[in-house]
């Protein structure tokens, strides 16, 4: 669990790259500067951990590229102490970014292997989400709703209705929509029945699957 000055230097370079690519939210950039991404990866990838690339993490899943994590986090417009629901804990890296930004994170993972790994790793790094659970992300977490924001970290063919229902009025839902390629989609809840929709470019994600594994 080493985090060295060399790692910090690589993080500073990564943050400079993200700024060049258009990430402007200071809280997002600060979080990425602080979090030891190499500890979220298999040690064989350690030398590449601060490249702006996605890597496999087991159970057929990936850790998203830092730009994608930063882009989704920026779209959420995170304020301190907001309740955020994350669908797809994965490696826990996106969870960590939101926690460092001051959010109260409720995260759901459908792969038991990843759920177990992340439940051990995050506390070791001093990162404490409000709630980590093993379950079906399509259903959200109705017992903890409503949420200020919801982030989905896997490509979804549709926007699951339970997630829309669990969003506060004024809340933001960020979800990559599509089968092969995904369009990053932002929904802002205007009232009980209306959502404002924004489409923000093409990304690639592993698929959001129903039921737990």
């Amino acid at each position: 669990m080493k985090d060295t000055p060399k790692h910090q230097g690589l993080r500073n370079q990564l943050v400079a790259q993200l700024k060049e690519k258009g990430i402007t939210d200071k809280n997002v950039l600060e979080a990425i500067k602080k979090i030891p991404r190499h500890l979220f990866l298999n040690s064989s990838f350690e030398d590449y951990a601060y490249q702006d690339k996605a890597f496999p993490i087991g159970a057929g899943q990936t850790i998203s590229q830092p730009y994608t994590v930063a882009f989704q986090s920026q779209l959420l417009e995170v304020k301190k102490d907001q309740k955020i629901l994350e669908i797809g804990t994965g490696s826990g890296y996106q969870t960590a970014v939101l926690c460092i930004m001051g959010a109260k994170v409720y995260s759901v993972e459908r792969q038991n292997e990843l759920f177990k790994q992340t439940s051990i790793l995050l506390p070791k790094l001093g990162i404490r989400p409000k709630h980590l659970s093993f379950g079906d992300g399509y259903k959200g977490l109705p017992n903890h709703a409503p949420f200020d924001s919801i982030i989905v970290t896997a490509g979804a063919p549709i926007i699951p209705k339970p997630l829309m229902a669990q969003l506060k009025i004024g809340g933001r839902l960020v979800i990559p929509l599509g089968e092969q390629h995904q369009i990053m989609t932002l929904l802002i809840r205007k009232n009980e029945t209306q959502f404002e929709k924004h489409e923000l470019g093409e990304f690639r994600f592993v698929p959001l699957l129903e039921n737990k594994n």
Side-chain angles (χ1 to χ4, degrees), residues 67-93:
Y67 174 73
T68 304
V69 170
F71 189 83
Q72 284 196 285
S73 302
Q74 180 165 284
L75 284 178
L76 290 175
E77 298 185 354
V78 178
K79 312 270 187 304
K80 193 167 167 34
D81 291 333
Q82 277 187 330
K83 272 174 76 176
I84 298 185
L85 172 61
E86 178 190 34
I87 304 301
T89 319
S91 67
Y93 181 69

Side-chain angles (χ1 to χ4, degrees), residues 123-162:
K124 275 188 186 167
L125 299 176
I127 291 163
R128 293 186 170 76
K130 287 295 279 184
H131 182 83
L132 282 181
S133 61
F134 169 56
D136 181 355
Y138 263 79
K139 298 186 175 77
L141 286 174
N143 296 346
H144 296 281
F147 295 97
D148 294 295
S149 297
I150 299 175
I151 178 172
V152 180
T153 62
I158 54 150
I159 302 170
K161 288 275 191 302

Side-chain angles (χ1 to χ4, degrees), residues 85 87-88 108 110 135-142 152 154-164 166 175 179 207-211:
L85 172 61
I87 304 301
V108 185
R110 65 177 290 280
D136 181 355
Y138 263 79
K139 298 186 175 77
L141 286 174
V152 180
I158 54 150
I159 302 170
K161 288 275 191 302
L163 300 187
M164 292 168 79
Q166 289 169 36
I175 183 168
E179 301 276 359
L208 177 67
L209 302 171
E210 268 192 270
N211 303 318

Side-chain angles (χ1 to χ4, degrees), residues 1-212:
M1 302 290 282
K2 276 201 188 121
D3 187 29
T4 66
K6 181 188 168 194
H7 290 126
Q8 185 59 64
L10 292 169
R11 282 203 288 283
N12 294 346
Q13 285 173 18
L14 173 61
V15 165
Q17 247 186 313
L18 295 176
K19 281 184 186 166
E20 275 172 31
K21 289 185 175 183
I23 301 298
T24 54
D25 187 319
K26 289 192 175 66
N27 292 334
V28 173
L29 295 167
E30 275 304 308
I32 285 172
K33 200 180 270 188
K34 283 180 185 154
I35 296 165
R37 187 175 187 246
H38 62 283
L39 299 178
F40 291 82
L41 292 168
N42 181 306
S43 57
S44 60
F45 295 118
E46 184 178 340
D47 292 348
Y48 311 104
Y50 297 104
Q51 293 181 8
D52 192 16
K53 289 189 177 143
F55 291 103
I57 54 169
Q61 305 299 298
T62 55
I63 181 172
S64 292
Q65 82 181 83
Y67 174 73
T68 304
V69 170
F71 189 83
Q72 284 196 285
S73 302
Q74 180 165 284
L75 284 178
L76 290 175
E77 298 185 354
V78 178
K79 312 270 187 304
K80 193 167 167 34
D81 291 333
Q82 277 187 330
K83 272 174 76 176
I84 298 185
L85 172 61
E86 178 190 34
I87 304 301
T89 319
S91 67
Y93 181 69
Q94 173 75 74
T95 320
V97 168
L98 296 172
C99 287
I100 296 280
M101 288 175 74
K104 294 176 173 166
V105 184
Y106 295 73
S107 192
V108 185
E109 175 53 56
R110 65 177 290 280
Q111 301 283 354
N112 202 17
E113 172 193 342
L114 296 180
F115 168 68
K116 285 179 180 159
Q117 283 172 10
T118 307
S119 303
I120 294 165
L121 176 65
L122 289 173
K124 275 188 186 167
L125 299 176
I127 291 163
R128 293 186 170 76
K130 287 295 279 184
H131 182 83
L132 282 181
S133 61
F134 169 56
D136 181 355
Y138 263 79
K139 298 186 175 77
L141 286 174
N143 296 346
H144 296 281
F147 295 97
D148 294 295
S149 297
I150 299 175
I151 178 172
V152 180
T153 62
I158 54 150
I159 302 170
K161 288 275 191 302
L163 300 187
M164 292 168 79
Q166 289 169 36
L167 191 63
K168 275 185 189 170
I169 289 169
R172 303 167 80 84
L173 168 62
V174 174
I175 183 168
L177 275 183
E179 301 276 359
Q180 295 301 318
H181 293 269
Q182 290 84 33
I183 301 295
M184 192 65 76
T185 305
L186 167 66
L187 288 188
I188 301 170
R189 186 166 200 173
K190 290 298 180 188
N191 54 40
E192 282 301 320
T193 55
Q194 287 175 306
F195 291 80
E196 181 183 297
K197 184 178 178 185
H198 303 263
E199 295 187 340
L200 300 145
E202 199 171 279
F203 286 77
R204 290 196 79 161
F205 281 80
V206 293
L208 177 67
L209 302 171
E210 268 192 270
N211 303 318
K212 50 196 183 185

